[in-house]
Amino acid sequence: MKNIVILISGRGSNMEAIVRALEAGQIAGARIAAVVANRADAGGLAFAQQHGIATAVLDHKAFASREAFDAALMALIDGHAPDLVVLAGFMRVLTAGFVTHYLGRLINIHPSLLPSFPGLHTHARALQAGVKLHGATVHFVTAELDCGPIIIQAAVPVHDEDDEASLSARVLAQEHRIYPQAISWFVAGRISLRDGRACVANAVAGAEGW
Ligand code: GAR
């Protein structure tokens, strides 16, 4: 049984999609060992508790430096012997030490088609740029922000009448589909890194719901 630790900062809808996929048997051989938030008011904590998942809050404001926070976070996560650490709307820049410690078992979801629009306000920036396709990316985390080998992406059309709310809702629906998919591949040992790229064994587009 593989242990997954999920880090959140807020609403936690991606965490919820992952928990629901596990409960539905769509991710075999894994369990959520813990959900950790850096804010006590993270909305997703209540959902995790209602689903019998251990939760913890580590407030970054209680630490003097980014390094001190990340060291405490690592100790907390490692207490759950994680096979995979999942960033699900965890809005903290992580130190190189943290990223190196979990290299190859730390993944993130970002609300854009990377390498376009790394960073914040991705939907507003996509609208401003006038792109016709936007989307979401699940990737391994490396030291560079919103970078690292891409595991799966989903694209959505951008309509002329879209605003930030309508576009982000269309992207979020896809996030909830591709994050559980990526995790099921990871847990099944189907993702390998070749020349800095993530390859998925026996992936057939359209055949697994993506
Ligand atoms: C999601 O859209 C996720 O892609 C984004 O934050 C949102 C969290 O929503 N993450 C980032 O912007 C990371 N750079 P959620 O809390 O409902 O899952």
Side-chain angles (χ1 to χ4, degrees), residues 129-146:
V131 295
K132 302 302 180 195
L133 279 177
H134 186 44
T137 302
V138 178
H139 64 99
F140 283 106
V141 176
T142 55
E144 207 180 326
L145 183 71
D146 298 328

mmCIF file of all heavy atoms in Angstrom, residues 129-146:
data_model
loop_
_atom_site.group_PDB
_atom_site.id
_atom_site.type_symbol
_atom_site.label_atom_id
_atom_site.label_comp_id
_atom_site.label_asym_id
_atom_site.label_seq_id
_atom_site.Cartn_x
_atom_site.Cartn_y
_atom_site.Cartn_z
ATOM 1 N N ALA A 129 -3.682 37.486 -22.841
ATOM 2 C CA ALA A 129 -2.841 37.114 -23.987
ATOM 3 C C ALA A 129 -3.681 36.734 -25.204
ATOM 4 O O ALA A 129 -3.176 36.665 -26.320
ATOM 5 C CB ALA A 129 -1.921 35.960 -23.601
ATOM 6 N N GLY A 130 -4.966 36.451 -24.980
ATOM 7 C CA GLY A 130 -5.837 36.091 -26.096
ATOM 8 C C GLY A 130 -5.630 34.684 -26.628
ATOM 9 O O GLY A 130 -5.978 34.385 -27.780
ATOM 10 N N VAL A 131 -5.068 33.795 -25.779
ATOM 11 C CA VAL A 131 -4.871 32.417 -26.255
ATOM 12 C C VAL A 131 -6.230 31.759 -26.483
ATOM 13 O O VAL A 131 -7.222 32.116 -25.829
ATOM 14 C CB VAL A 131 -4.036 31.576 -25.259
ATOM 15 C CG1 VAL A 131 -2.614 32.109 -25.151
ATOM 16 C CG2 VAL A 131 -4.696 31.527 -23.878
ATOM 17 N N LYS A 132 -6.283 30.840 -27.400
ATOM 18 C CA LYS A 132 -7.537 30.134 -27.708
ATOM 19 C C LYS A 132 -7.629 28.797 -26.992
ATOM 20 O O LYS A 132 -8.689 28.184 -26.934
ATOM 21 C CB LYS A 132 -7.667 29.928 -29.222
ATOM 22 C CG LYS A 132 -7.621 31.223 -30.020
ATOM 23 C CD LYS A 132 -8.719 32.193 -29.583
ATOM 24 C CE LYS A 132 -8.669 33.475 -30.392
ATOM 25 N NZ LYS A 132 -9.467 34.552 -29.756
ATOM 26 N N LEU A 133 -6.493 28.327 -26.484
ATOM 27 C CA LEU A 133 -6.455 27.092 -25.689
ATOM 28 C C LEU A 133 -5.759 27.400 -24.371
ATOM 29 O O LEU A 133 -4.728 28.078 -24.339
ATOM 30 C CB LEU A 133 -5.665 25.994 -26.404
ATOM 31 C CG LEU A 133 -6.361 25.192 -27.490
ATOM 32 C CD1 LEU A 133 -5.360 24.214 -28.109
ATOM 33 C CD2 LEU A 133 -7.570 24.443 -26.950
ATOM 34 N N HIS A 134 -6.336 26.860 -23.309
ATOM 35 C CA HIS A 134 -5.767 27.041 -21.970
ATOM 36 C C HIS A 134 -5.904 25.676 -21.296
ATOM 37 O O HIS A 134 -6.351 24.714 -21.933
ATOM 38 C CB HIS A 134 -6.574 28.143 -21.262
ATOM 39 C CG HIS A 134 -6.062 28.570 -19.925
ATOM 40 N ND1 HIS A 134 -4.740 28.806 -19.655
ATOM 41 C CD2 HIS A 134 -6.733 28.841 -18.758
ATOM 42 C CE1 HIS A 134 -4.615 29.188 -18.390
ATOM 43 N NE2 HIS A 134 -5.799 29.217 -17.828
ATOM 44 N N GLY A 135 -5.524 25.541 -20.025
ATOM 45 C CA GLY A 135 -5.684 24.221 -19.429
ATOM 46 C C GLY A 135 -4.937 24.061 -18.130
ATOM 47 O O GLY A 135 -4.721 25.028 -17.395
ATOM 48 N N ALA A 136 -4.563 22.830 -17.860
ATOM 49 C CA ALA A 136 -3.903 22.487 -16.597
ATOM 50 C C ALA A 136 -2.823 21.452 -16.861
ATOM 51 O O ALA A 136 -2.895 20.695 -17.839
ATOM 52 C CB ALA A 136 -4.932 21.934 -15.603
ATOM 53 N N THR A 137 -1.848 21.427 -15.938
ATOM 54 C CA THR A 137 -0.680 20.547 -16.087
ATOM 55 C C THR A 137 -0.369 19.882 -14.756
ATOM 56 O O THR A 137 -0.305 20.559 -13.728
ATOM 57 C CB THR A 137 0.567 21.380 -16.502
ATOM 58 O OG1 THR A 137 0.287 22.075 -17.715
ATOM 59 C CG2 THR A 137 1.785 20.491 -16.682
ATOM 60 N N VAL A 138 -0.162 18.576 -14.771
ATOM 61 C CA VAL A 138 0.406 17.870 -13.618
ATOM 62 C C VAL A 138 1.855 17.565 -13.951
ATOM 63 O O VAL A 138 2.144 17.034 -15.027
ATOM 64 C CB VAL A 138 -0.355 16.563 -13.311
ATOM 65 C CG1 VAL A 138 0.314 15.827 -12.134
ATOM 66 C CG2 VAL A 138 -1.821 16.837 -13.010
ATOM 67 N N HIS A 139 2.757 17.929 -13.030
ATOM 68 C CA HIS A 139 4.181 17.746 -13.324
ATOM 69 C C HIS A 139 4.954 17.385 -12.064
ATOM 70 O O HIS A 139 4.517 17.680 -10.939
ATOM 71 C CB HIS A 139 4.755 19.035 -13.940
ATOM 72 C CG HIS A 139 4.713 20.218 -13.010
ATOM 73 N ND1 HIS A 139 5.803 20.632 -12.272
ATOM 74 C CD2 HIS A 139 3.711 21.075 -12.673
ATOM 75 C CE1 HIS A 139 5.474 21.688 -11.550
ATOM 76 N NE2 HIS A 139 4.201 21.984 -11.762
ATOM 77 N N PHE A 140 6.098 16.736 -12.264
ATOM 78 C CA PHE A 140 7.026 16.538 -11.153
ATOM 79 C C PHE A 140 7.595 17.894 -10.778
ATOM 80 O O PHE A 140 7.813 18.747 -11.645
ATOM 81 C CB PHE A 140 8.173 15.605 -11.562
ATOM 82 C CG PHE A 140 7.790 14.150 -11.602
ATOM 83 C CD1 PHE A 140 7.616 13.490 -12.813
ATOM 84 C CD2 PHE A 140 7.605 13.439 -10.429
ATOM 85 C CE1 PHE A 140 7.263 12.153 -12.849
ATOM 86 C CE2 PHE A 140 7.250 12.094 -10.451
ATOM 87 C CZ PHE A 140 7.073 11.451 -11.665
ATOM 88 N N VAL A 141 7.839 18.073 -9.485
ATOM 89 C CA VAL A 141 8.368 19.351 -9.018
ATOM 90 C C VAL A 141 9.894 19.310 -9.018
ATOM 91 O O VAL A 141 10.501 18.368 -8.508
ATOM 92 C CB VAL A 141 7.848 19.668 -7.594
ATOM 93 C CG1 VAL A 141 8.472 20.954 -7.068
ATOM 94 C CG2 VAL A 141 6.333 19.774 -7.614
ATOM 95 N N THR A 142 10.464 20.358 -9.614
ATOM 96 C CA THR A 142 11.910 20.562 -9.552
ATOM 97 C C THR A 142 12.145 21.934 -8.918
ATOM 98 O O THR A 142 11.190 22.649 -8.610
ATOM 99 C CB THR A 142 12.540 20.491 -10.961
ATOM 100 O OG1 THR A 142 11.865 21.436 -11.798
ATOM 101 C CG2 THR A 142 12.425 19.099 -11.550
ATOM 102 N N ALA A 143 13.408 22.297 -8.766
ATOM 103 C CA ALA A 143 13.721 23.514 -8.005
ATOM 104 C C ALA A 143 13.148 24.770 -8.654
ATOM 105 O O ALA A 143 12.844 25.741 -7.973
ATOM 106 C CB ALA A 143 15.230 23.637 -7.834
ATOM 107 N N GLU A 144 12.984 24.772 -9.979
ATOM 108 C CA GLU A 144 12.453 25.947 -10.660
ATOM 109 C C GLU A 144 10.932 25.986 -10.537
ATOM 110 O O GLU A 144 10.271 24.957 -10.736
ATOM 111 C CB GLU A 144 12.855 25.877 -12.143
ATOM 112 C CG GLU A 144 12.971 27.233 -12.803
ATOM 113 C CD GLU A 144 13.365 27.084 -14.270
ATOM 114 O OE1 GLU A 144 14.119 26.135 -14.572
ATOM 115 O OE2 GLU A 144 12.888 27.875 -15.079
ATOM 116 N N LEU A 145 10.369 27.147 -10.250
ATOM 117 C CA LEU A 145 8.925 27.270 -9.995
ATOM 118 C C LEU A 145 8.092 26.842 -11.222
ATOM 119 O O LEU A 145 8.350 27.298 -12.331
ATOM 120 C CB LEU A 145 8.593 28.724 -9.632
ATOM 121 C CG LEU A 145 7.130 28.994 -9.270
ATOM 122 C CD1 LEU A 145 6.779 28.396 -7.920
ATOM 123 C CD2 LEU A 145 6.841 30.496 -9.288
ATOM 124 N N ASP A 146 7.082 26.002 -10.973
ATOM 125 C CA ASP A 146 6.168 25.550 -12.031
ATOM 126 C C ASP A 146 6.909 24.992 -13.236
ATOM 127 O O ASP A 146 6.568 25.257 -14.396
ATOM 128 C CB ASP A 146 5.214 26.678 -12.443
ATOM 129 C CG ASP A 146 4.328 27.111 -11.284
ATOM 130 O OD1 ASP A 146 3.993 26.246 -10.448
ATOM 131 O OD2 ASP A 146 4.004 28.300 -11.190
#
